[in-house]
């Protein structure tokens, strides 16, 4: 039993004094939001870090995705995964788009690219893939399909800050990628998010969309939202960015210990990245085969609570199970066999740089010995 609760994550927090000294600039400047200098500085630094040409900041990942989709003028149906956080599909709902759920690949837990084509109709305008837990979608195959049918490709990369696919930065695939900077993410601005995108001309449109469509004090030219990241959060982002590399190294070491201690437990699969890719180290996720392990994922989730360890059943329930999709053919259980299996088997484990190695070893011991 741990004295203090162990959560799935703890936010990466800069030294308070460093924040205070940077905040002095904001106070002196008396510019708190609406595209201030800290916001521009963060945008520039993130472009460099993520190695992308075009990047826009938002007040959270969901508004980034919602407005990014709006900027692309999509219509009708969008093919997406049921195994994701509600935000992915809710961004479609708010754009009056119908999700068409496609089953997932049992290894990467991302869209099963082999199943996409059969779901395309004359109403399909885009494919919205999710790089689940930081595991990239099959970007090449998805792009080939999109080119063939003239579809847009959007990625929900909420979990993929710093991921590279065979040395190519993940934010450069498809037409657009969303990143989340929520407190629980590797890189955070408390709440926040960004879009990276191919078409440079979208910069202006996205700036309008996140600022009520105001073109100048006398003209409102489209229907937008308030989705701006403020100066104080930008300061936090600038300070957190300095810590990300060390955090990644720490998580890399923690991952190795988890892998070592879980390796020979029958029925436990550790989700791994492809050889040659660089991981975001966002989540450490295991998959439990109840027949071999002898207990279910839900059992283990509850058992760990007895030891004061709070894992998460991401992403339970499947988005296709939401009440408002009950009449969608693609949401039917028989069409999504892998997603329905995986959603009962996957467990996200505690994973953050400050997590002690002894704690990791103890957690693995519980998994090994309690069953
Ligand atoms: N797409 C995908 C695939 C996503 O996963 C997400 C968000 C989005 C889109 C939307 O992006 P944002 O609009 O959020 O930028 C959390 C996050 O709120 C959410 O951002 C994230 N995905 C999701 C996977 O996780 P919850 O409801 O699980 O969070 P919560 O409050 O239970 O926190 C989890 C644990 O983290 C807590 O048990 C303890 C720890 N924690 C949390 C917070 C907020 C802290 O230690 N400190 C904190 O301040 O959704």
């Amino acid at each position: 039993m741990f004295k203090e609760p162990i959560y799935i994550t703890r936010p990466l927090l800069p030294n308070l004094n460093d924040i205070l000294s940077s905040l002095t600039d904001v106070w002196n400047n008396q510019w708190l939001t609406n595209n201030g200098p800290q916001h521009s500085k963060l945008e520039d630094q993130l472009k460099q870090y993520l190695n992308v040409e075009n990047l826009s900041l938002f007040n959270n990942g969901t508004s980034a995705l919602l407005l990014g989709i709006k900027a692309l003028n999509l219509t009708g149906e969008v093919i997406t995964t049921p195994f994701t956080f509600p935000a992915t599909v809710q961004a479609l709902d708010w754009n009056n788009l119908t999700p068409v759920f496609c089953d997932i690949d049992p290894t990467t837990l991302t869209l099963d690219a082999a199943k996409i084509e059969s779901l395309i109709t004359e109403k399909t305008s885009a494919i919205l893939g999710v790089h689940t837990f930081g595991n990239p979608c099959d970007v090449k195959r998805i792009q080939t399909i999109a080119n063939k049918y003239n579809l847009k490709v959007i990625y929900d990369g909420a979990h993929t800050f710093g991921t590279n696919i065979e040395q190519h930065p993940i934010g450069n695939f498809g037409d657009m990628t969303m990143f989340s900077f929520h407190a629980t993410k590797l890189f955070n601005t408390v709440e926040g998010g960004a879009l990276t995108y191919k078409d440079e001309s979208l910069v202006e449109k996205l700036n309008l969309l996140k600022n009520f469509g105001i073109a100048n004090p006398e003209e409102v030219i489209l229907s937008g939202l308030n989705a701006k990241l403020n100066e104080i959060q930008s300061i936090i982002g600038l300070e957190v960015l300095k810590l990300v590399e060390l955090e990644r190294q720490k998580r890399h070491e923690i991952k190795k210990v988890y892998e070592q201690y879980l390796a020979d437990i029958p029925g436990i699969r550790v989700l791994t990245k492809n050889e040659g890719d660089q991981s975001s180290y966002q989540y450490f996720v295991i998959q439990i085969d109840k027949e071999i392990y002898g207990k279910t994922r839900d059992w283990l989730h509850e058992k760990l609570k007895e030891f004061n360890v709070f894992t998460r059943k991401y992403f339970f329930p499947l988005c296709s199970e939401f009440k408002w999709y009950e009449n969608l053919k693609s949401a039917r259980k028989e069409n999504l066999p892998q997603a329905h299996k995986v959603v009962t088997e996957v467990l996200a484990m505690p994973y953050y740089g400050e997590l002690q190695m002894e704690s990791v070893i103890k957690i693995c011991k519980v998994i090994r010995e309690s069953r």
Side-chain angles (χ1 to χ4, degrees), residues 6-11 59-65 83-89 130-133 156-159 178-185 190-194 282-283 310-312 314-315:
I6 304 225
Y7 296 113
I8 177 178
T9 193
R10 301 264 73 187
N59 59 351
N60 58 62
T62 308
S63 59
L65 188 60
F83 188 61
T84 183
F85 197 64
T88 315
V89 292
V130 178
H131 300 309
T132 318
F133 305 133
D156 177 334
H159 307 167
M178 177 275 270
F179 294 87
S180 165
F181 304 154
H182 182 260
T184 55
K185 297 297 186 290
V190 183
E191 292 270 3
Q282 174 60 59
Y283 292 108
F310 297 90
T311 55
R312 296 303 290 257
Y314 292 138
F315 292 107

Side-chain angles (χ1 to χ4, degrees), residues 280-297:
S280 62
Y281 300 106
Q282 174 60 59
Y283 292 108
F284 184 86
V285 180
I286 60 173
Q287 189 171 2
I288 297 135
D289 182 327
K290 65 173 190 292
E291 305 305 334
I292 304 174
Y293 180 64
K295 299 280 188 213
T296 62
R297 183 276 309 272

Side-chain angles (χ1 to χ4, degrees), residues 112-157:
D112 184 345
K115 301 207 170 111
I116 293 176
E117 242 176 314
S118 65
L119 298 169
I120 295 174
T121 70
E122 70 282 358
K123 290 190 195 146
T124 312
S125 60
I127 301 166
L128 170 55
V130 178
H131 300 309
T132 318
F133 305 133
N135 256 347
C137 294
D138 188 345
V139 290
K140 282 186 195 148
R141 195 153 174 196
I142 290 176
Q143 196 59 55
T144 307
I145 298 168
N147 293 346
K148 183 169 164 193
Y149 294 92
N150 196 21
L151 304 175
K152 296 282 186 209
V153 178
I154 307 144
Y155 287 112
D156 177 334

Side-chain angles (χ1 to χ4, degrees), residues 239-279:
E239 292 300 325
V240 174
L241 197 54
K242 295 177 190 164
L243 311 177
V244 165
E245 270 323 301
L246 182 58
E247 176 70 12
R248 291 170 65 86
Q249 284 166 28
K250 288 182 183 170
R251 290 187 186 204
H252 179 67
E253 294 307 315
I254 293 170
K255 188 169 180 280
K256 284 201 286 196
V257 175
Y258 260 129
E259 282 172 348
Q260 181 191 340
Y261 282 83
L262 293 175
D264 59 347
I265 305 181
I268 301 281
R269 171 173 98 99
V270 171
L271 263 74
T272 48
K273 63 184 183 64
N274 294 329
E275 275 302 311
D277 291 355
Q278 179 172 286
S279 168

